[in-house]
Amino acid sequence: MTAAPPHRPTDSAPPAPQAPGRRARRRHLRRTGAVLALGTALFAAGALGLAPDRADPPTGGRRAPAASSEDTAQRRIEALRQQIRRTGKNPRAWAELGLEYVQQAKTTADPAYYPKAGKSLRRSLDLQPRDNFTAEVGLGALAAGRHEFRDALRWARRATRTNPANAAARGVLGDAYTQLGRYRESFQAVQKMVDLQPGTPSLARASYTWELRGETDRARALMRRALKAASDPGDTAFARYHLAGLALRSGAPSTALREANAGLRSVPDNPDLLEVRARARTALGRPAAAVDDFEQAIAHVPQPAYVIALGELQQARGHLGKARRQYALYRAQERLLQQAGVRDDAEAVLFEADHGDADRAVGLGRRAVRSRPFLASHDAYAWALHRAGRDREALSHAEQALRLGTRSALYLYHRGMIHHALGDHAAARTDLRAALRTDPHFHPLHAPAARRTLTRIGAEA
């Protein structure tokens, strides 16, 4: 069973505030300092110890938010560099160094690690072109991190041929198949991963395959198994984070808060757990505490998803200046990602549809569906088409997003609003009610918009 990215509901109903002027943006970026120079929610392969990203699958990896963990990672990198200097042509050391760089790109959100990873992994393959499993699976993880999933699939297949009994390659394989919309093959790859190594990374992926199919009880049970299989505080925090996310997406914010707090007792200041606790606190009507959590998470790792979520929360509170600063920060991060060769994903499409230019969102969405025909890409493209007034086209993609039975309040909301724009009030009412039943607090801007639209439909009936 597979685990691909639980996509983050990144959306907002009212039009976004205008971006700040150039001088204000520069002041904000200077205040953010080195932290801002990072900024990407990346996709990486989990059984290698690479952590999950926001709009991407659970991977059972270890986040390293604390400075001491970052120091440990840098010590490992320096040790590998010294080993390479001592031993010269050492393909394994080069491959391990490349994997460390991919991991650092994930845990620090710094896309500058990608070129370093590519150079190291390619050097390893130059030295050992055949049967170089570590470099092959590393290149698969690197391609996935850049959202180049066809390349990730190619490298994952090669790695599984080189080492058929290794679970890590099956994880990369399952992730790539999922993002390419090849769900049956992805489920088979993850089942094989579970068979080979039933630990936290494989069980987390298995959980996600059931969540994709709307089987949230099975998904929760498997994530509980992943928690029991956790071998260290990092894996424990990872499992708690995804249990909190499952609870939130099922409309149980109090449960999500308990899971997040339990995880933070294992790994204090973990940014993923701070972010999911912020969303739980938002749903529970504690916006000031949620803002504090978001700001702490961003101070550790300024993932674009955190930045957007904080901006949308501030917009919902009427703090438009603060929202504009977050949106400007996201724009700066987006430019860094593009410079590092990371392709736009569903998150970028939704952001542009809700806070930018609808026609540009359509272009981004079209490319996303072509390169990454995952459910989230279809949903984002549908929403972009709706924002551009192309609702008949939008509806077919909204249907694609829900075809596996995924219980996503966001997807249901998007389809409901498309139905409403097409004048199908009965279908709109069904979808919007289902969205709010699934998660009454699924988004600080969209959930209220869903309620307003239902009221309007009732008045028009």
Side-chain angles (χ1 to χ4, degrees), residues 4 41 76 104 131 159 166 173 183 189 242-243 272 290 305 316 336 368 373 407 410 420 424 433 442:
R76 286 197 303 268
Q104 283 300 96
D131 299 326
N166 187 277
L173 187 66
Y183 303 110
H242 283 289
L243 283 166
D272 279 342
L336 290 173
R407 294 183 185 178
L410 179 69
H420 182 250
D424 190 342
R433 284 176 175 172
F442 68 91

Side-chain angles (χ1 to χ4, degrees), residues 436-459:
L436 293 169
R437 200 163 48 242
T438 299
D439 179 4
H441 312 285
F442 68 91
H443 191 275
L445 295 168
H446 280 325
R451 292 186 182 90
R452 290 194 299 270
T453 303
L454 282 170
T455 300
R456 194 156 57 246
I457 291 172

Side-chain angles (χ1 to χ4, degrees), residues 84 90-100 120-121 124 132 134-135 138:
I84 289 167
N90 187 330
R92 184 170 181 82
W94 276 109
E96 290 178 354
L97 179 61
L99 282 173
E100 286 290 344
S120 300
L121 293 165
S124 177
N132 190 340
T134 307

Side-chain angles (χ1 to χ4, degrees), residues 235-296:
D235 280 349
T236 298
F238 166 83
R240 292 285 187 190
Y241 164 74
H242 283 289
L243 283 166
L246 277 166
L248 268 180
R249 292 186 291 276
S250 300
S254 295
T255 301
L257 184 62
R258 286 196 298 273
E259 294 290 357
N261 283 332
L264 286 164
R265 286 194 290 272
S266 297
V267 182
D269 298 327
N270 177 282
D272 279 342
L273 287 164
L274 287 167
E275 185 265 356
V276 79
R277 188 171 73 176
R279 291 191 288 127
R281 284 174 162 172
T282 300
L284 291 167
R286 305 178 195 170
V291 167
D292 288 344
D293 279 342
F294 276 129
E295 289 178 343
Q296 286 184 59

Side-chain angles (χ1 to χ4, degrees), residues 157-430:
R157 283 172 164 169
R158 181 167 165 177
T160 56
R161 288 193 296 269
T162 299
N163 190 347
N166 187 277
R170 302 289 172 175
V172 182
L173 187 66
D175 295 341
Y177 275 136
T178 299
Q179 295 300 306
L180 293 171
R182 297 169 62 170
Y183 303 110
R184 183 181 298 276
E185 291 157 300
S186 74
F187 299 162
Q188 292 170 348
V190 173
Q191 181 60 62
K192 182 64 174 177
M193 186 185 184
V194 172
D195 294 342
L196 289 168
Q197 188 177 344
T200 302
S202 59
L203 291 168
R205 282 181 167 83
S207 170
Y208 193 64
T209 69
W210 288 110
E211 188 181 3
L212 282 178
R213 289 173 276 186
E215 298 277 357
T216 52
D217 288 342
R218 288 190 180 190
R220 193 176 296 108
L222 280 163
M223 195 58 75
R224 287 282 172 203
R225 286 180 58 191
L227 177 62
K228 289 182 179 178
S231 58
D232 61 29
D235 280 349
T236 298
F238 166 83
R240 292 285 187 190
Y241 164 74
H242 283 289
L243 283 166
L246 277 166
L248 268 180
R249 292 186 291 276
S250 300
S254 295
T255 301
L257 184 62
R258 286 196 298 273
E259 294 290 357
N261 283 332
L264 286 164
R265 286 194 290 272
S266 297
V267 182
D269 298 327
N270 177 282
D272 279 342
L273 287 164
L274 287 167
E275 185 265 356
V276 79
R277 188 171 73 176
R279 291 191 288 127
R281 284 174 162 172
T282 300
L284 291 167
R286 305 178 195 170
V291 167
D292 288 344
D293 279 342
F294 276 129
E295 289 178 343
Q296 286 184 59
I298 291 167
H300 284 292
V301 180
Q303 293 283 12
Y306 306 167
V307 173
I308 294 171
L310 177 55
E312 289 170 339
L313 175 57
Q314 296 288 29
Q315 184 177 341
R317 300 176 75 200
H319 299 168
L320 301 188
K322 292 178 179 178
R324 282 195 293 267
R325 286 194 287 275
Q326 296 304 315
Y327 297 153
L329 175 56
Y330 171 78
R331 292 284 190 198
Q333 292 171 317
E334 186 180 35
R335 287 192 293 273
L336 290 173
L337 291 176
Q338 291 170 350
Q339 291 166 9
V342 180
R343 293 186 179 184
D344 290 320
D345 61 6
E347 184 172 85
V349 179
L350 289 173
F351 178 85
E352 195 65 36
D354 282 327
H355 306 293
D357 179 82
D359 290 333
R360 182 171 185 268
V362 168
L364 293 175
R366 186 185 305 114
R367 291 195 293 273
V369 165
R370 286 174 181 168
S371 65
R372 186 184 187 181
F374 178 53
L375 302 178
S377 299
H378 282 288
D379 170 71
Y381 188 33
W383 192 238
L385 288 165
H386 165 70
R387 289 295 205 188
R390 296 163 59 177
D391 290 292
R392 296 207 176 276
E393 294 173 74
L395 185 57
S396 65
H397 289 280
E399 299 283 5
Q400 280 289 310
L402 287 157
R403 71 185 181 90
L404 291 184
T406 308
R407 294 183 185 178
S408 167
L410 179 69
Y411 294 3
L412 288 164
Y413 167 75
H414 285 164
R415 191 174 69 178
M417 295 300 284
I418 292 165
H419 278 308
H420 182 250
L422 289 170
D424 190 342
H425 289 179
R429 185 187 296 110
T430 297

